[in-house]
Amino acid sequence: MNILVTGGAGFIGSHTLIELYKAGHTALVVDNLCNSNPEALRRVAELIGIDAIPFIKADIRDSKALDSIFSANHFDAVIHFAGLKAVGESVEKPLEYYDNNVNGTLVLLDAMRRHGCKNIIFSSSATVYGDPAEIPITESCPKGQCTNPYGQTKSIIEQILTDLQVADPQWNIVLLRYFNPIGAHPSGRIGENPNGIPNNLMPYITQVAVGKREYLGIFGNDYPTPDGTGIRDYIHVCDLASAHIAALKPIEQKTGLNIYNIGTGHGYSVLDVVKAFIRVNGVDIPYRIMPRRAGDIATCYCNPAKANREIGWKAQFTLDDMCRDAWHWQHANPNGY
Ligand code: NAD
Ligand code: WQD
């Protein structure tokens, strides 16, 4: 299939491009590079063994740019990664987040409709479950109250896509609810490249390991979990990437709207991750216990059985693999791209 990949220069998009080409698909990337570097695409092409990944620098809110892209190319489906994703920033800048994520998706969907491409895989998030009503979380668990505008944009876009598919059953839509993607391509050539102080746990740990930060702050050790720190379902970014190739199956089979949890099904605490990182990589990670971070929940992990049953996808990498590959990337690229 030929796939339009929005946000393809980013962390998850760049890893997904490799899996797409490995599976025999081709892609064109649209990205405005607001949170990424074209060097990622150059390295992806190098890893795949092609000259270049077709790329157009454009904003998905630019309907004219999308029109010319859809007029010049035939796409069998869109994988839609483009979006802003920093939870804290979304609290400060709600209008920017709703505009970029929700309005951007509306503009994209309208262009897809005009050009007769009605197949889309959307990057959703475990955040739509809020403080989950059940653990492990299945797809039938009700959506919850999101504590920040970022999460709201994911929930709203899911609703828009659901309404669209009801109105026009020709649409085939897959909502992938990612849990906590970490790690990097085992080559160490591409990985997560946050701007400024990392918001998320693993990039913070790797920046401590490489000497850019003095110590890790652990946000609370008084949660109702075995060691008191928060529990999450960390998933290797390459496993997450391969879930998108599996998700093309229901698109090809034209089965309407499908929702899948994409996680390993295992919950690890912050201390589990820190200890695994130290053991696997033989580097020290000094840490201090800090107050809880606003909006955090105690425990979040999924039951990924539906994705296994229906699209044949299952995570392969372990937490040790995630720690090794995250460090390999950071160590080889201390300043990112
Ligand atoms: P990322 O920031 O690395 O990648 C997103 C890409 O989209 C970037 O390259 C950015 O430049 C681009 N982009 C943003 N707004 C755009 C716009 N208006 N027009 C064109 N390009 C635009 O983030 P990521 O971690 O790769 O996440 C990809 C998607 O997955 C996002 O939608 C994110 O919300 C979602 N997601 C991520 C996580 C996570 O923890 N990383 C978890 C759940 C869901
Ligand atoms: C994981 C655990 C923290 C940093 C976020 C978004 C979610 C999704 C994935 C999407 C928690 C603890 C963290 C640190 C710490 N995003 N922590 N010190 O919050 O589960 O999910 O990213 O695009 O929508 O909310 O991930 O990596 O920030 O935190 O102790 O410096 O690590 O409290 O328990 P989170 P995270």
Side-chain angles (χ1 to χ4, degrees):
M1 293 170 102
N2 190 36
I3 316 286
L4 177 68
V5 181
T6 74
F11 172 47
I12 302 169
S14 55
H15 289 80
T16 301
L17 287 167
I18 293 179
E19 299 303 321
L20 277 172
Y21 277 80
K22 253 200 326 208
H25 303 292
T26 52
L28 183 148
V29 169
V30 174
D31 198 304
N32 66 0
L33 303 179
C34 69
N35 195 40
S36 51
N37 190 312
E39 174 64 9
L41 293 177
R42 207 191 59 70
R43 294 190 186 184
V44 166
E46 176 192 287
L47 289 166
I48 297 169
I50 58 175
D51 285 347
I53 299 285
F55 167 59
I56 292 174
K57 184 179 174 195
D59 193 300
I60 56 162
R61 290 165 296 180
D62 182 345
S63 140
K64 281 206 182 100
L66 292 185
D67 265 337
S68 72
I69 292 166
F70 276 101
S71 299
N73 299 275
H74 168 80
F75 298 113
D76 300 293
V78 174
I79 302 184
H80 178 30
F81 295 109
L84 301 176
K85 63 163 183 178
V87 169
E89 185 185 59
S90 78
V91 177
E92 310 291 321
K93 298 180 176 175
L95 294 184
E96 281 77 1
Y97 270 68
Y98 286 112
D99 179 43
N100 198 85
N101 294 5
V102 179
N103 184 33
T105 302
L106 288 173
V107 173
L108 172 69
L109 294 172
D110 198 34
M112 291 175 68
R113 179 173 60 174
R114 278 198 304 282
H115 293 272
C117 176
K118 297 186 174 180
N119 298 321
I120 185 167
I121 297 173
F122 173 61
S123 298
S124 191
S125 168
T127 194
V128 301
Y129 293 111
D131 197 349
E134 59 186 56
I135 292 282
I137 304 169
T138 63
E139 292 81 354
S140 54
C141 179
K143 283 164 72 176
Q145 185 55 47
C146 298
T147 53
N148 59 79
Y150 165 74
Q152 296 283 13
T153 68
K154 292 291 167 192
S155 194
I156 291 168
I157 295 166
E158 282 201 354
Q159 190 60 51
I160 290 169
L161 288 165
T162 305
D163 293 344
L164 174 62
Q165 207 281 330
V166 170
D168 179 356
Q170 284 183 348
W171 280 86
N172 299 293
I173 296 172
V174 181
L175 309 179
L176 295 183
R177 293 178 176 161
Y178 310 160
F179 280 67
N180 287 60
I182 60 170
H185 191 265
S187 66
R189 294 292 289 155
I190 59 170
E192 193 167 8
N193 187 31
N195 288 321
I197 302 172
N199 299 301
N200 299 112
L201 179 64
M202 184 54 87
Y204 207 105
I205 290 176
T206 59
Q207 291 201 5
V208 171
V210 84
K212 293 182 103 169
R213 319 248 160 229
E214 198 186 337
Y215 61 90
L216 170 74
I218 293 185
F219 301 142
N221 67 348
D222 56 353
Y223 284 103
T225 63
D227 67 20
T229 66
I231 289 182
R232 297 291 182 272
D233 189 334
Y234 296 96
I235 172 166
H236 195 294
V237 64
C238 292
D239 274 332
L240 178 55
S242 70
H244 296 79
I245 286 66
L248 289 170
K249 208 178 296 170
I251 297 260
E252 257 179 321
Q253 293 166 347
K254 300 188 185 304
T255 53
L257 178 84
N258 290 280
I259 304 178
Y260 299 107
N261 286 338
I262 302 298
T264 64
H266 301 290
Y268 291 104
S269 74
V270 178
L271 281 170
D272 288 335
V273 177
V274 172
K275 286 178 188 159
F277 191 94
I278 293 171
R279 177 175 46 74
V280 169
N281 296 315
V283 292
D284 193 25
I285 303 295
Y287 65 81
R288 293 182 198 169
I289 305 299
M290 317 268 280
R292 291 182 178 194
R293 181 173 68 178
D296 272 356
I297 54 176
T299 302
C300 178
Y301 60 91
C302 76
N303 176 344
K306 185 173 181 233
N308 187 225
R309 200 169 56 241
E310 295 188 5
I311 60 174
W313 173 87
K314 194 174 191 293
Q316 306 293 331
F317 291 95
T318 63
L319 179 63
D320 284 7
D321 297 327
M322 302 177 214
C323 291
R324 181 199 61 225
D325 292 338
W327 177 230
H328 185 197
W329 151 253
Q330 182 79 75
H331 188 248
N333 304 269
N335 298 309
Y337 290 110

